[in-house]
Amino acid sequence: MSSTLNHAQLISNSQSSNESSLAQVVINTRPVERAAALTDHLQAAGLTVVEIPMLTLQSRPTTEQDMTLMRQWLAGDYKALVIVSPTAAASGLAVWQALERERQAQNNDNDDERKDIEIKALQAPSYLIAVGEATASVLNNAKIEASNYQVLQPHMANNEGMLAMPEIERLQAGDKLLVWRGLGGRRLLVDTLLARGVHIDSIAWYERIMPVDAMAQYEQWLQGFLARNGMQDTSASQPKPIVVVSSGTAFEHWESIVRAVAEKALEQETVREIPAILPYELSDFAYVVLGERLANMVAEQQLSYWRVEDLAPATILAAIHAKAC
């Protein structure tokens, strides 16, 4: 079972079925540094929220190739810069500021003054496009200057929303676009713009890995969840736990953990031990997933899900309420 809701539909649905969502368990798999706003919003609505991050963000060493791309961008070689996450924005800004200090130092012959260079403003050499409000906030707080400058955002943080932006729509063969992102993150725009002849470069400032304690956290939660329900199949007595997943990598990590824990439980049964937990499968959960690519991954496994087009807490809450209907 699947469904796709736009933001307006989700907000409307969130105003109904309050009662049915009170017993709903929601598993928030977002990274620790991005989970709090969603958890707080869902808890305020009366839901039981469990944080089991499927990703942790780890900085990557900045390579000489990365620095070359940054210098080319600052020289005006790119029509626009797309920043896909707050972490990418913060990492890129740090290097941008370092390059600005380097430039000012080279232009300053006074050794005493050179030691105390302060970045009062950054000159943006191209359009800056932030995917999401949190990413835009990082940029807006950075004291960036440009003619008629503003941090641009798509109406919807997905391929369709990005492609509808005039700054992206008018890119043509031979134009260049730079992307700040995380390794293995969403490849926004890439296929469509490459087909149009646009040259795309990207800098992966960080990578997303599975937290070392992710499996232990899942096992601990599942033991408690089943204990509260008498180690019985809970599908008839209460809604399936809902898992909020925002990326394909997070879903792959979730899938591997659920399968590994289920196999462990089955092995205990084989040797006639009392299993610590029942072999819960992927299908014992329902899912709220972001975007078309992730929805297709979940649909391929015939799992029950709602697809959303943004990660606003209100959007996700409305999807959960709709799921509970």
Side-chain angles (χ1 to χ4, degrees), residues 12-322:
S12 174
N13 286 336
S14 72
Q15 295 169 355
S16 62
S17 300
N18 234 2
E19 253 183 19
S20 64
S21 66
L22 291 178
Q24 181 68 64
V25 173
V26 181
I27 298 175
N28 183 357
T29 68
R30 302 218 68 202
V32 170
E33 50 278 298
R34 299 181 187 172
L38 176 59
T39 294
D40 292 346
H41 191 79
L42 298 183
Q43 288 177 336
L47 303 178
T48 299
V49 183
V50 183
E51 291 187 356
I52 309 180
M54 287 294 113
L55 298 173
T56 188
L57 307 182
Q58 179 173 289
S59 297
R60 303 180 72 241
T62 303
T63 67
E64 187 53 45
Q65 175 64 16
D66 296 336
M67 297 302 288
T68 297
L69 293 176
M70 284 294 293
R71 290 189 174 97
Q72 290 174 350
W73 173 64
L74 289 170
D77 287 2
Y78 294 89
K79 295 289 187 180
L81 169 65
V82 172
I83 306 101
V84 305
S85 73
T87 304
S91 299
L93 280 170
V95 173
W96 185 0
Q97 290 171 327
L99 288 172
E100 176 61 16
R101 288 191 182 90
E102 178 184 285
R103 184 192 68 80
Q104 290 188 23
Q106 291 173 349
N107 294 336
N108 194 332
D109 295 329
N110 188 315
D111 289 338
D112 291 333
E113 291 181 7
R114 189 180 301 172
K115 295 175 184 177
D116 299 318
I117 290 174
E118 179 182 354
I119 304 299
K120 295 183 173 63
L122 295 169
Q123 297 289 333
S126 72
Y127 293 117
L128 297 186
I129 300 173
V131 182
E133 189 62 41
T135 303
S137 295
V138 174
L139 298 167
N140 283 325
N141 292 334
K143 297 181 179 178
I144 303 168
E145 289 185 356
S147 177
N148 299 318
Y149 172 76
Q150 62 177 326
V151 176
L152 304 172
Q153 292 179 251
H155 291 299
M156 298 187 70
N158 57 17
N159 261 0
E160 291 76 14
M162 297 290 288
L163 290 168
M165 298 181 69
E167 297 77 15
I168 297 295
E169 191 176 29
R170 58 175 168 253
L171 292 176
Q172 55 190 345
D175 288 340
K176 297 174 68 176
L177 177 75
L178 182 62
V179 181
W180 289 355
R181 62 184 182 89
L183 188 66
R186 289 179 291 164
R187 288 171 57 83
L188 290 169
L189 309 172
V190 171
D191 294 338
T192 301
L193 292 184
L194 286 178
R196 200 189 296 172
V198 176
H199 179 87
I200 301 177
D201 288 316
S202 66
I203 302 176
W205 297 110
Y206 61 94
E207 58 185 322
R208 302 173 303 163
I209 62 175
M210 185 189 295
V212 293
D213 58 349
M215 183 176 293
Q217 285 186 327
Y218 171 73
E219 282 188 290
Q220 183 179 15
W221 166 76
L222 188 55
Q223 286 176 339
F225 177 74
L226 293 173
R228 286 189 294 275
N229 291 281
M231 293 290 286
Q232 300 298 315
D233 181 358
T234 61
S235 60
S237 60
Q238 72 172 58
K240 292 180 179 181
I242 291 178
V243 185
V244 178
V245 191
S246 60
S247 75
T249 303
F251 181 72
E252 289 169 355
H253 292 171
W254 170 261
E255 179 181 11
S256 68
I257 285 175
V258 171
R259 293 190 188 282
V261 172
E263 289 173 6
K264 179 179 176 181
L266 289 171
E267 287 173 3
Q268 289 177 331
E269 287 184 330
T270 300
V271 297
R272 296 185 179 182
E273 296 178 5
I274 298 175
I277 52 181
L278 294 178
Y280 247 49
E281 306 289 348
L282 290 172
S283 58
D284 291 312
F285 301 89
Y287 299 85
V288 174
V289 301
L290 174 66
E292 180 180 6
R293 176 174 173 269
L294 182 51
N296 289 340
M297 291 177 65
V298 174
E300 284 175 2
Q301 305 209 36
Q302 299 183 323
L303 302 174
S304 179
Y305 72 93
W306 282 120
R307 169 182 161 184
V308 295
E309 299 302 334
D310 65 74
L311 292 172
T315 302
I316 294 173
L317 175 61
I320 291 168
H321 280 158

